[in-house]
Amino acid sequence: MLYLVGTPIGNMGDISGRAVEVLGSADIIACEDTRRTGLLLSNLGIKASLISYHEHNKASKGPVLINRLKEGHDVVLVSDAGMPCISDPGYDLVRLCIEEGIDVTAVPGPVAAVTALVLSGLDTRYYHFEGFIPVSSKERKARLKALRNYEETIIIYEAPHRLIKTIDDLCEEGFGDCEAAFCRELTKKYEQVIRLKLDDAMEYFTETPPKGEFVICLSPVPKKSGESSFDGKDLEETARGLISEGLSTKEAASRLAEVTGRNKKELYSYILNLIK
Ligand code: SAM
């Protein structure tokens, strides 16, 4: 069986009892960095056989791990921090296991994205996990353009030395009016959540240079008047529905403005024309 085991993102107290149990009884532990995982295991008093498995050797090490699993060994996969497969290696190994009919299970642990989301104060009902934005400028621009259309909270991972560049690029792509939460050093001694408008973040981080690990949570780009994912047919149907529910023109215009992000006055005239 392959076990995907979550490890702390900073605070060692966050390792679960089940994670310790599974790590302690594994035949093989595959990890990104044997020194780092070795340290975690020695803190837990666990001796284990470690195999390195990371972005640059996964093509050759994947089949090796599959062979060990087929021989009946239990293999644990951990990353340097948090859950494997989340902006970390693991996905390819899970796919290989599924293809080979090998059982996979997870021992869930902390994830920086979810920890940041719940602290951000932004909408937690609908969210999009982006992870790292591509570095190459063409792909980066394309991704940022695509993100403009998202209507849910956006979660981005970023290294401290790239944070200011990312804020700059986001502002250039029209995210300046978004509410942002910069969640820093989560679960650690200097944990901090900096909540501001993205437009103000450049000044803040120029005065206070970014240090430590960051997750950026962003509210969706606010819709401008007249801009909405509602097409004309949706708008008409919704407006007629609200009127038939007995709402006054004013009430219907307010409700429509909430759901479409359009201007209330324009919607009021629109509904008047519709029902006259
Ligand atoms: N697998 C991890 C998870 O489950 O969240 C993510 C690993 S990814 C390689 C590393 C990125 O996660 C960092 O660059 C940062 O954006 C974010 N991160 C990890 N630990 C963090 C922490 N304690 N505070 C803030 N961000 C963190």
Side-chain angles (χ1 to χ4, degrees):
M1 160 104 76
L2 174 70
Y3 292 82
L4 305 167
V5 174
T7 58
I9 55 169
N11 189 321
M12 287 305 137
D14 291 339
I15 187 101
S16 75
R18 192 153 82 93
V20 175
E21 203 179 293
V22 169
L23 286 165
S25 60
D27 299 318
I28 298 154
I29 298 179
C31 56
E32 281 187 277
D33 180 343
T34 50
R35 257 188 47 205
R36 197 164 164 159
T37 300
L39 212 62
L40 170 77
L41 295 176
S42 94
N43 282 338
L44 298 170
I46 293 171
K47 283 205 176 95
S49 161
L50 298 181
I51 293 187
S52 92
Y53 178 81
H54 50 70
E55 212 41 52
H56 308 291
N57 73 2
K58 64 184 185 189
S60 62
K61 286 292 175 69
V64 173
L65 292 170
I66 292 293
N67 280 338
R68 306 303 287 272
L69 284 156
K70 280 182 167 170
E71 287 162 11
H73 295 290
D74 281 336
V75 173
V76 168
L77 178 68
V78 293
S79 63
D80 281 351
M83 281 305 284
C85 310
I86 302 298
S87 293
D88 265 337
Y91 165 76
D92 302 74
L93 191 57
V94 171
R95 292 293 313 170
L96 283 178
C97 284
I98 294 168
E99 280 163 23
E100 297 288 342
I102 297 165
D103 288 338
V104 183
T105 190
V107 179
V111 176
V114 177
T115 311
L117 174 69
V118 298
L119 289 176
S120 68
L122 301 176
D123 194 342
T124 56
R125 290 168 308 164
Y126 306 105
Y127 56 89
H128 164 76
F129 173 63
E130 177 70 10
F132 292 100
I133 300 174
V135 176
S136 105
S137 56
K138 199 171 155 211
E139 281 177 65
R140 190 172 172 86
K141 218 174 170 50
R143 240 1 259 164
L144 292 180
K145 268 203 184 343
L147 285 179
R148 273 196 61 115
N149 297 318
Y150 283 63
E151 297 193 350
E152 49 281 307
T153 303
I154 298 164
I155 308 172
I156 297 170
Y157 282 169
E158 196 47 285
H161 66 280
R162 297 195 55 85
L163 193 79
I164 290 189
K165 161 97 177 110
T166 295
I167 295 169
D168 198 22
D169 290 350
L170 282 163
C171 288
E172 203 161 293
E173 278 306 324
F175 290 80
D177 281 337
C178 296
E179 285 179 57
F182 290 85
C183 305
R184 174 178 167 263
E185 294 287 88
L186 294 166
T187 75
K188 302 184 197 174
K189 186 173 176 189
Y190 295 108
E191 175 177 289
Q192 191 183 14
V193 181
I194 303 146
R195 300 181 185 87
L196 30 65
K197 249 179 68 178
L198 199 69
D199 258 343
D200 301 325
M202 186 60 100
E203 192 184 331
Y204 177 90
F205 284 108
T206 308
E207 279 170 18
T208 321
K211 273 197 207 133
E213 299 197 87
F214 279 88
V215 179
I216 311 169
C217 297
L218 286 179
S219 65
V221 172
K223 291 261 180 291
K224 293 207 178 72
S225 169
E227 185 190 348
S228 157
S229 58
F230 261 61
D231 62 21
K233 194 164 154 268
D234 286 340
L235 191 68
E236 183 178 338
E237 272 174 16
T238 312
R240 286 195 191 281
L242 291 170
I243 295 296
S244 70
E245 277 173 31
L247 267 67
S248 69
T249 306
K250 196 172 159 207
E251 287 164 338
S254 293
R255 189 79 70 80
L256 261 189
E258 269 170 36
V259 291
T260 63
R262 294 189 184 196
N263 181 284
K264 203 162 38 175
K265 268 194 191 147
E266 287 171 5
L267 288 168
Y268 184 82
S269 316
Y270 170 79
I271 298 170
L272 276 183
N273 271 326
L274 205 63
I275 57 177
K276 78 176 176 202

